[in-house]
Amino acid sequence: MTLLEVYLERAVRTPGAPALVHARAPHQVTFTWAQLVDRAREISLALPPRARVAVTMRDHPDLVPSVLAVWSQGGVVVPVDSEWGSQVREVVLTRSGATHLLDSGGVSPNALANPDAPALPADTAMISYTSGSTSSPKGVVLTHGQLLHAYETAGVKMREHLGHQPMVFGASMRMSGLGVLGMTYLWPAVMGMSVVVLPELGLTSARDHWRLLREHGVQLTYLVPPLVELLNRMGQDPGGEVVTCLSGGAPLSAAGQSLFQDRFDAVLLNVYGMTEVAFAAFFGDLEDGRGTHSIGVPVTVSARLRDAQGAVVEGEGEGEIELSGPSQSCGYYDNDEDTAALLREGWVRSGDLGRRDAEGRYWITGRRKDVVLKGGFTIYLHEIEEAAGQIPGVVESVAVRLDLPTGEDVGLIVFAPTVPAAEAIQKELSATLGRQRAPRRVVLTAEPLARLGQEKLDRRAAMVRWQEMISN
């Protein structure tokens, strides 16, 4: 079965039921399952068969029909973030071997002058590029079978968490790529949920966000940690039925998670996954009806830990998380070197450090690449960012690794419009974290921090910004 067939089956079984309610300006439109499929057929008339089509990810009612249109012609979708720079965009279009570019605003596809490209597995649904911040993005090859397995097993776990079948999913993220597309559109369709596209959650919409969730009867929604923190500061919940919120894409602050569940009629689950295994692989843990900081047990794949000495950890322990299972991707497109580096004994190396308890539950403890060794201390960049987030007036922050002649250290860029001086933040962090763990220097910026898809901090851009700020 393909993802397209999921939509076709819904259109036959419940043709008049709402599939997509687009309530985000400037579009106000509702598609039933039958109308969604009909619109996909209309778009497909302009597409050649079995083409590799780059689809621009836009917040437009035609986004899902455009993706379905490519699949209906036996084609492969290459998601393109509308906010990528021209250089990255051209690299992705060329390396993916895309033959056409389709704007998901309903514009006719443009033919691309790409030569014949290496073949793909027959069941390929997507080539999803994982990083728009580098000159060498990697394309993850995913089949319909891999995506379907991930979405179906995740749906089983979510029903187990909730104790019932949720019916309405609220989408409030900017559309950037497969991560948001899968979580907020494709997965809900596999689960049989209708999707309500709400105004993009940000500074201007945060105050009304809960009201809109309630008005549309949303039962399940997806956030990233920066949006969790934004709602903690600005959200106003009129109260009502409990909304289950999933948080992923970056480390979730334990304090922020607890405050979120205290303030709102909501459960906040700490989920974890990566594109290389198609989707979220862990869906959090519940205790007394509240989400815990654990990411829970593996759901869509198997997981294991490998310690610093290279041995697989048995039972309780810590190490790098490795993943394997039916939703595991086919590797990186036309990139044997990076595919070989991704795998170890057939398992996907996540690059994330974790801890497992006796019950098999996991916690994320850090990022292998985001670790600084300072004066005998192992410091994770996200722990400094979490501590900064607790300081009144700090909106967001990003820690950067400093390679100095005396060894490794940490710098911190802070967006805090109401804090008068960086010295105040430096002093607070020294008191909270201790002198050894606190950043060497704090600098303030008047602009929000650069982010990638799913609102992940762009650490490469942060390093460039750091160099610019300290040189002035």
Side-chain angles (χ1 to χ4, degrees):
M1 191 174 187
T2 67
L3 286 165
L4 172 65
E5 289 171 325
V6 170
Y7 283 86
L8 295 176
E9 185 177 85
R10 302 285 181 211
V12 171
R13 290 189 175 183
T14 56
L20 176 62
V21 179
H22 207 288
R24 182 179 299 181
H27 310 289
Q28 305 287 328
V29 64
T30 295
F31 280 131
T32 66
W33 292 103
Q35 289 170 336
L36 200 62
V37 169
D38 287 343
R39 179 57 182 150
R41 289 196 184 102
E42 291 176 10
I43 296 173
S44 72
L45 296 176
L47 295 173
R50 294 176 295 282
R52 203 172 296 184
V53 182
V55 179
T56 306
M57 299 284 105
R58 297 192 189 280
D59 296 305
H60 192 281
D62 272 346
L63 172 63
V64 173
S66 295
V67 171
L68 298 179
V70 176
W71 288 339
S72 72
Q73 293 285 52
V76 174
V77 173
V78 181
V80 174
D81 190 337
S82 62
E83 293 193 5
W84 279 347
S86 59
Q87 180 181 6
V88 171
R89 180 175 174 273
E90 291 307 313
V91 168
V92 168
L93 292 179
T94 301
R95 293 193 178 182
S96 66
T99 59
H100 292 77
L101 174 63
L102 177 64
D103 191 301
S104 53
V107 179
S108 298
N110 295 319
L112 301 175
N114 282 330
D116 292 339
L120 290 163
D123 191 32
T124 300
M126 294 259 185
I127 309 176
S128 177
Y129 281 79
T130 61
S131 175
S133 63
T134 72
S135 60
S136 183
K138 298 185 288 290
V140 180
V141 178
L142 291 160
T143 68
H144 285 277
Q146 290 159 354
L147 290 167
L148 265 177
H149 177 270
Y151 298 153
E152 287 174 347
T153 52
V156 171
K157 185 61 178 180
M158 190 50 52
R159 294 183 191 97
E160 177 186 317
H161 271 329
L162 298 176
H164 65 272
Q165 164 67 50
M167 299 308 298
V168 182
F169 192 100
S172 57
M173 296 279 294
R174 180 186 75 83
M175 183 52 59
S176 57
L178 176 58
V180 180
L181 177 70
M183 179 64 78
T184 61
Y185 289 95
L186 304 180
W187 179 46
V190 172
M191 288 186 68
M193 302 179 69
S194 64
V195 174
V196 178
V197 184
L198 300 170
E200 183 181 339
L201 180 53
L203 287 171
T204 59
S205 63
R207 191 173 301 277
D208 288 332
H209 184 68
W210 282 106
R211 177 182 61 80
L212 292 172
L213 288 177
R214 303 297 185 190
E215 287 180 359
H216 288 278
V218 170
Q219 298 167 294
L220 187 62
T221 192
Y222 176 64
L223 302 169
V224 289
L227 297 182
V228 170
E229 299 298 337
L230 177 63
L231 287 173
N232 278 342
R233 290 181 171 86
M234 301 183 63
Q236 295 184 356
D237 185 6
E241 296 296 322
V242 173
V243 178
T244 300
C245 304
L246 311 177
S247 178
L252 175 66
S253 159
Q257 180 186 23
S258 179
L259 176 61
F260 187 92
Q261 294 182 113
D262 287 342
R263 283 199 61 193
F264 309 119
D265 290 322
V267 172
L268 182 58
L269 295 168
N270 190 13
V271 307
Y272 171 82
M274 55 192 301
T275 306
E276 287 81 353
V277 292
F279 191 51
F282 296 75
F283 281 80
D285 184 49
L286 286 166
E287 187 174 297
D288 297 327
R290 286 168 60 101
T292 74
H293 202 240
S294 167
I295 60 173
V297 299
V299 175
T300 67
V301 293
S302 298
R304 69 182 186 184
L305 298 174
R306 190 181 293 270
D307 65 23
Q309 289 70 46
V312 175
V313 178
E314 303 293 341
E316 297 180 67
E318 298 188 19
E320 181 183 355
I321 298 174
E322 297 181 345
L323 306 170
S324 180
S327 62
Q328 183 177 330
S329 74
C330 303
Y332 299 124
Y333 176 63
D334 195 24
N335 191 337
D336 293 339
E337 182 179 350
D338 282 333
T339 298
L342 172 70
L343 302 174
R344 179 159 44 188
E345 299 172 0
W347 290 65
V348 172
R349 305 177 64 177
S350 72
D352 290 308
L353 304 177
R355 172 172 62 87
R356 183 178 59 221
D357 68 9
E359 284 72 44
R361 295 173 297 183
Y362 284 73
W363 283 258
I364 299 297
T365 58
R367 176 74 180 167
R368 193 162 49 89
K369 295 181 180 178
D370 294 338
V371 174
V372 171
L373 302 178
K374 177 185 175 184
F377 289 87
T378 298
I379 303 170
Y380 299 111
L381 298 184
H382 74 83
E383 69 176 305
I384 296 176
E385 294 158 359
E386 288 184 9
Q390 304 306 308
I391 299 174
V394 172
V395 177
E396 56 183 0
S397 67
V398 59
V400 296
R401 172 176 168 168
L402 308 179
D403 293 309
L404 307 175
T406 55
E408 298 176 7
D409 214 317
V410 182
L412 187 70
I413 304 173
V414 174
F415 175 45
T418 63
V419 176
E423 289 76 11
I425 298 174
Q426 178 82 49
K427 183 177 180 180
E428 181 70 22
L429 290 175
S430 293
T432 303
L433 298 172
R435 183 177 58 84
Q436 287 288 344
R437 306 186 77 84
R440 176 187 183 90
R441 182 177 175 183
V442 175
V443 296
L444 299 182
T445 179
E447 299 177 355
L449 302 176
R451 295 188 179 275
L452 301 169
Q454 296 196 63
E455 295 298 304
K456 291 182 180 180
L457 288 167
D458 187 341
R459 296 196 182 276
R460 291 176 184 270
M463 194 69 242
V464 172
R465 181 65 178 141
W466 173 269
Q467 296 294 344
E468 292 173 348
M469 295 177 75
I470 64 173
S471 64
N472 292 334

